[in-house]
Amino acid sequence: MILPGFPVARPRRLRTSPALRRLVAETSLNVSQLVLPLFARSGRKQRRPVDAMPGVFQLSPDEVLREAAAAHALGIPAVLLFGIPDKKDAKASGAYARNGVVQQTVRLLKKELPSLLVITDVCLCEYMDHGHCGVVRGEKILNDPTLALLAQTATSHAEAGADILAPSDMMDGRVAAIRAALDKNHFIDTPIMSYAAKFASAFYGPFREAAGSAPQFGDRRSYQMDPANANEALREVALDVQEGADLLLVKPALACLDILHRVKKEFGLPTAAYAVSGEHAMIKAAAAKGWIDERAVTLESLLAMRRAGADILITYAAMDAARWMK
Ligand code: PBG
C-alpha cells in the first residue's frame, strides 16, 4: 500500500473528536461477547470469597443462580461453570457423577434461565485427589486412560443440559473422544469449545485456590504447553479442529495475544480469549492500591484481545465490563 507522506498525511485528522474516533474504530466491545466464569460448590446460601480474586466466590448452586441471573440481566449471554466437589478421589468420580455439583447446577440454571448459555469446563483436576488433569500412575499423567473419563464427564454435563462443553485438560485426542461419546449419546448438536492452546502458565495461580485444584506433586508441564512455543500451539489447534472442535479457546489471554492472532487468522473459527485468574488478580491488586484505573485497564485489555482476534471474552470482570460498556 502506498501512503502519502507528511504534511499531506496527518493521521491525527481522524482523531479530532470523540464521534470521529468512534466512526473509525476498528474494534469494538459488546456485552454479547462476554462470558462469566462461576465456581459451584455444594450447600445453600454459600458465598465463600476467593482471597486472590476479589469479587470471585465459591458459590452454592442457589447462589450461582443468583449470580447468573444478574449477569443475564446485564445482557451477558453465557456463564462458564467450574465445580468444587465435596470429595476427591483417584478416578475423579465427582466429575461425572449424575448428581455432581456441576450437573446439579446446570440443571438448575437451565430450568430457571433457559436462555442463558451454560458452558461447562470439562476437566478432572478439581475432582482428583492428586490435583492433576488426568489419571496418574506413579508420577506419570496417563493420556489414553484419561480420555474415557473426560468423555464420560462431558456426556454427563450434556445430559444435565449444558449448552457448550469446554475441555481444558490438554490430553491428546480428547476432542475426538468427547465428540464420539456425545454423538453416540445423541448429543450431536452440542458444541465443543476446546481450550485448544493452553499454556502451562503461572497466571493460573489464583484459580487453583478458587477451584482447590493445585497439583499435589510436580506441575502441569507434561500436558499443558510450554509458553515458549507458538508453532506448536498452531499444531495443537489444528488437531483439535480436525477432531471436531466447534469453537477455540486460547489462554492465558494477555500473555498470548500473538497466539490468538495466529489462531484466528489460520483457522477462522469462533475464538475465545480467557483472561485468567492471575490477570484478574493483577488488575484488582494494582487498582486497589490506586496505581491503575481499573475500568480503563480492564476495558483496554479486553479490547486488545478483540484486536488480536478474539470473538469471545471470558473474564471474571464480565459483570463490571458489561456495566462499563453500556
Ligand atoms: C482446569 C482449568 C484451569 C483453568 C481453567 N481450567 C487451571 C489449570 O489448568 O491449572 C485456569 C483458569 C484461570 O486461571 O482463571 N484445568
Side-chain angles (χ1 to χ4, degrees):
M1 188 169 34
I2 308 207
L3 290 170
F6 178 82
V8 173
R10 287 185 182 270
R12 290 185 55 190
R13 270 186 212 120
L14 295 180
R15 297 177 204 146
T16 51
S17 73
L20 193 47
R21 290 196 290 272
R22 237 175 74 204
L23 187 70
V24 301
E26 298 172 32
T27 313
S28 62
L29 288 174
N30 192 288
V31 66
S32 64
Q33 296 145 359
L34 296 173
V35 177
L36 175 69
L38 292 171
F39 297 94
R41 62 167 308 124
S42 66
R44 287 200 56 221
K45 295 199 187 318
Q46 296 284 318
R47 290 179 76 84
R48 299 197 192 172
V50 179
D51 270 354
M53 298 172 72
V56 177
F57 300 82
Q58 296 183 346
L59 304 165
S60 50
D62 53 323
E63 291 290 325
V64 170
L65 175 60
R66 262 212 340 198
E67 204 79 358
H72 193 45
L74 284 165
I76 294 172
V79 295
L80 170 60
L81 264 194
F82 295 91
I84 304 142
D86 290 331
K87 280 198 292 285
K88 300 173 191 264
D89 58 28
K91 306 182 297 194
S93 313
Y96 41 86
R98 220 192 90 74
N99 248 338
V101 65
V102 164
Q103 290 80 356
Q104 278 181 38
T105 308
V106 171
R107 283 196 289 268
L108 180 66
L109 289 175
K110 290 314 295 180
K111 178 162 157 264
E112 300 293 332
L113 300 168
S115 58
L116 177 75
L117 290 170
V118 178
I119 309 172
T120 55
D121 183 87
V122 175
C123 196
L124 306 177
C125 57
E126 296 104 308
Y127 307 90
M128 288 287 201
D129 48 17
H130 47 65
H132 277 289
C133 303
V135 174
V136 161
R137 187 186 306 140
E139 302 260 296
K140 258 191 115 138
I141 290 66
L142 305 180
N143 194 87
D144 297 12
T146 301
L147 298 180
L149 300 187
L150 290 168
Q152 207 177 332
T153 303
T155 306
S156 79
H157 290 181
E159 276 163 359
D163 296 293
I164 301 177
L165 304 166
S168 68
D169 52 281
M170 288 301 280
M171 296 300 130
D172 294 333
R174 83 281 174 68
V175 173
I178 290 172
R179 186 72 268 159
L182 290 174
D183 289 357
K184 194 173 133 223
N185 289 284
H186 310 293
F187 296 108
I188 54 168
D189 284 329
T190 304
I192 298 174
M193 175 194 276
S194 170
Y195 286 66
K198 174 169 177 179
F199 290 90
S201 169
F203 286 101
Y204 309 152
F207 173 93
R208 295 184 186 160
E209 180 206 330
S213 66
Q216 300 302 301
F217 64 87
D219 54 43
R220 303 209 198 287
R221 279 184 267 192
S222 75
Y223 42 106
Q224 299 179 353
M225 261 186 305
D226 182 346
N229 298 351
N231 293 323
E232 185 192 359
L234 289 205
R235 292 199 298 274
E236 269 285 0
V237 174
L239 287 168
D240 285 9
V241 172
Q242 260 175 30
E243 291 176 28
D246 302 282
L247 307 100
L248 302 170
L249 190 159
V250 173
K251 79 185 245 195
L254 277 189
C256 295
L257 294 181
D258 58 325
I259 309 289
L260 206 49
H261 184 71
R262 289 179 66 180
V263 165
K264 183 65 199 185
K265 225 174 138 170
E266 176 87 14
F267 300 96
L269 259 63
T271 302
Y274 193 153
V276 298
S277 54
E279 302 178 60
H280 180 73
M282 289 195 301
I283 293 179
K284 284 289 189 185
K289 292 239 180 208
W291 291 346
I292 58 168
D293 175 338
E294 181 177 356
R295 172 183 175 146
V297 169
T298 302
L299 292 177
E300 183 180 330
S301 306
L302 294 173
L303 192 64
M305 294 165 209
R306 292 269 303 138
R307 193 186 64 230
D311 306 291
I312 300 164
L313 305 166
I314 305 176
T315 168
Y316 299 99
M319 294 232 248
D320 280 336
R323 288 184 203 104
W324 294 331
M325 284 173 194
K326 294 228 174 213

